[in-house]
Amino acid sequence: MSLAYTTVLLWAWGCLQAFEIVEKESIFQRTPCPAFLVFDNAAYLADMSFELPCHCKPEDVPAVVWYYQKHLRSGHTTVLTDFDGRLLTEAAHIRVGSSMLVRFSIRMFSLLVFRAQPEDTGLYFCGTREGDYFYAYDVDIQSNKEIVASFKDMGQEPLPDEYYGGLHVFTTFWEWTPCDRCDVRGEQWRFGLCYLQNPDLSPRYLKTRSDVVSCGSRAVPWKLHLQTNYHTPELQIQSCLVSCQKRNKTRKGMLAIYSYVSKLGSRPWLPQVPIQFHQQRLGRGLIISCPGARPEHAVAWDKDDQPLYRAQYLKGVNRSMRVFIDHGNHLHIRFTQLSDRGIYYCWLQGLKIAGFRLGVITGGRYPVSLSDPETRTAMELTLMGYLLIIIIFIIIHLCRCCCQSRCCPNFSAQALL
């Protein structure tokens, strides 16, 4: 019976896969490729992952190759392909700062780029190994380092629109995220990216509205780029309150069954979510990530029973913050103290999914590594101090040499006269 059941499941799965491929091919048959290659504009925030579908291709092309150019008709073109036998990239294996060549994957003719960076801004082409292009994108990855946050509950407003003659610079916001907590006061937010409107944009770039593209688009002339540098991406935050009743029905049912099965045993404490244990040395830095979370997700952090609201803990709210949440939803603890001991809970899309139990230990030697931010900061400050001392030393000796060569007035001789 088990073998027959498995066979039926495999047959059904194969039928679904075949249906998906046939449906994909029918889409390509209905969508003719443009005679003149144009670029579809798309904008994302740094550290986001995105997908670029190849909307059209000839029927006789079984596989596609993606190409990347920083600027149109530039001398350097990067080939993004999996036909070398490399394994598909998974988002969980991506490290911050990795090259784009290890942050992409091609699946069903679509290009997936994980944890995009501003350096990935440019033109992406879908084509063949021979270099024939079918579809193209104009991708703009906007930096999140100087993102401006506004709190709606405090009466703060987004950045005003800017006008420079015929140039109109403004912010286009995404949809609000779900409430990041339930049954308690939570927060929700939305990202806003920089866009502009101008009649002098290149007609080769597709636009969602007439004469409107993202600020980093290749359709924008260079002289207009300089006028948009001060309009940074935005983050708007507001309070919210939703109920956990519907969300936790399944979880409560599973916990009830689990408790019934294990009722003969003594269970003094049953955590509601998986708990990970970690020990950190006193004075060292720590970054905690929420499992499966991305920058566009609604993520919240609690320390034991205390919520860490972004109104107090968002990066940039206070320059002297030791514990803060960055714009990628990571929790940072700088220079760990004994008071940081506890359980840090992570909420994802309104549900508490994981806990991180932190212990702080003292004593012992800690191996120094250049990958530690504190070590790099200490080395930079030391080098800057030495450089400042050397500059002062050189200036003093230049002054002495100048005086000895009689470039300086002889005050003693003037006094005798």
Side-chain angles (χ1 to χ4, degrees):
M1 184 65 182
S2 174
L3 180 60
Y5 182 71
T6 304
T7 304
V8 171
L9 284 180
L10 291 175
W11 175 81
W13 181 80
C15 291
L16 289 175
Q17 291 292 104
F19 174 77
E20 184 179 1
I21 295 175
V22 170
E23 179 66 19
K24 205 77 173 181
E25 291 177 352
S26 65
I27 292 175
F28 291 132
Q29 292 176 1
R30 296 194 306 265
T31 308
C33 294
F36 184 72
L37 190 65
V38 293
F39 299 91
D40 194 356
N41 180 236
Y44 303 94
L45 193 66
D47 290 331
M48 286 185 175
S49 301
F50 60 89
E51 177 183 0
L52 302 178
C54 188
H55 286 300
C56 72
K57 73 174 184 65
E59 298 181 25
D60 56 347
V61 177
V64 299
V65 176
W66 283 85
Y67 299 87
Y68 167 77
Q69 287 185 359
K70 192 69 175 177
H71 302 281
L72 186 61
R73 291 185 294 271
S74 62
H76 180 71
T77 301
T78 303
V79 182
L80 308 176
T81 176
D82 289 334
F83 60 63
D84 291 334
R86 63 187 298 276
L87 298 177
L88 294 179
T89 304
E90 297 294 340
H93 301 156
I94 300 299
R95 297 176 61 88
V96 177
S98 301
S99 170
M100 185 177 62
L101 294 177
V102 297
R103 286 189 289 102
F104 82 95
S105 177
I106 298 177
R107 302 179 185 178
M108 289 299 294
F109 313 117
S110 296
L111 176 68
L112 281 73
V113 179
F114 303 102
R115 305 202 68 167
Q117 300 300 313
E119 295 77 17
D120 300 337
T121 297
L123 305 176
Y124 292 79
F125 304 85
C126 173
T128 63
R129 299 188 184 186
E130 292 75 19
D132 299 325
Y133 300 149
F134 314 131
Y135 204 84
Y137 287 90
D138 168 34
V139 178
D140 174 22
I141 309 299
Q142 301 187 10
S143 176
N144 58 7
K145 292 184 178 180
E146 297 182 359
I147 191 170
V148 177
S150 60
F151 298 92
K152 197 172 182 180
D153 299 338
M154 301 179 184
Q156 299 178 359
E157 297 293 337
L159 293 176
D161 294 359
E162 302 175 21
Y163 295 89
Y164 305 96
L167 175 64
H168 176 201
V169 184
F170 57 93
T171 300
T172 298
F173 284 96
W174 291 31
E175 295 291 335
W176 288 99
T177 64
C179 196
D180 60 4
R181 295 175 178 86
C182 56
D183 280 350
V184 295
R185 186 180 73 86
E187 294 174 326
Q188 59 181 166
W189 56 90
R190 58 179 182 172
F191 289 108
L193 300 180
C194 177
Y195 277 76
L196 61 85
Q197 184 176 18
N198 188 269
D200 298 331
L201 302 178
S202 173
R204 194 173 182 179
Y205 296 82
L206 297 178
K207 313 168 187 66
T208 55
R209 288 175 50 194
S210 176
D211 299 330
V212 174
V213 294
S214 61
C215 293
S217 169
R218 294 300 182 262
V220 182
W222 179 252
K223 61 180 180 179
L224 297 183
H225 271 300
L226 301 177
Q227 296 177 320
T228 62
N229 291 336
Y230 299 102
H231 199 98
T232 60
E234 298 185 59
L235 178 65
Q236 194 174 23
I237 304 172
Q238 68 178 7
S239 299
C240 57
L241 181 62
V242 297
S243 173
C244 291
Q245 185 175 1
K246 294 183 179 180
R247 299 181 179 179
N248 289 341
K249 277 185 178 180
T250 304
R251 182 181 294 272
K252 289 182 179 179
M254 293 300 296
L255 286 176
I257 295 173
Y258 183 73
S259 300
Y260 175 77
V261 172
S262 60
K263 64 181 181 180
L264 297 178
S266 176
R267 306 188 63 83
W269 179 63
L270 178 65
Q272 296 181 353
V273 295
I275 302 293
Q276 179 183 353
F277 298 87
H278 177 75
Q279 286 187 338
Q280 184 74 5
R281 291 189 180 275
L282 184 67
R284 309 299 298 184
L286 179 65
I287 302 176
I288 310 176
S289 300
C290 188
R294 297 198 299 267
E296 62 269 26
H297 285 164
V299 178
W301 292 95
D302 297 343
K303 181 186 178 184
D304 297 327
D305 296 329
Q306 176 189 358
L308 305 179
Y309 291 115
R310 279 174 165 76
Q312 293 84 27
Y313 290 92
L314 182 66
K315 179 181 179 180
V317 172
N318 188 349
R319 294 183 179 274
S320 60
M321 297 175 68
R322 191 181 59 84
V323 179
F324 61 90
I325 303 171
D326 66 14
H327 301 296
N329 296 323
H330 303 99
L331 179 65
H332 293 246
I333 303 177
R334 300 178 58 194
F335 311 111
T336 308
Q337 299 179 359
L338 295 177
S339 59
D340 295 327
R341 293 172 175 170
I343 301 179
Y344 294 85
Y345 292 103
C346 166
W347 298 71
L348 179 61
Q349 299 294 93
L351 290 178
K352 188 182 293 185
I353 65 167
F356 190 90
R357 187 167 188 173
L358 178 63
V360 181
I361 58 177
T362 59
R365 298 185 61 184
Y366 192 89
V368 178
S369 174
L370 292 177
S371 60
D372 294 335
E374 291 82 4
T375 303
R376 292 199 300 267
T377 303
M379 292 183 63
E380 290 175 359
L381 292 176
T382 303
L383 292 176
M384 289 177 62
Y386 275 113
L387 182 61
L388 182 61
I389 293 175
I390 292 173
I391 292 175
I392 295 175
F393 179 79
I394 294 175
I395 292 175
I396 292 175
H397 278 268
L398 287 176
C399 293
R400 292 183 60 186
C401 292
C402 184
C403 291
Q404 290 178 359
S405 61
R406 297 184 179 181
C407 293
C408 298
N410 192 343
F411 295 102
S412 59
Q414 293 181 359
L416 294 174
L417 294 175

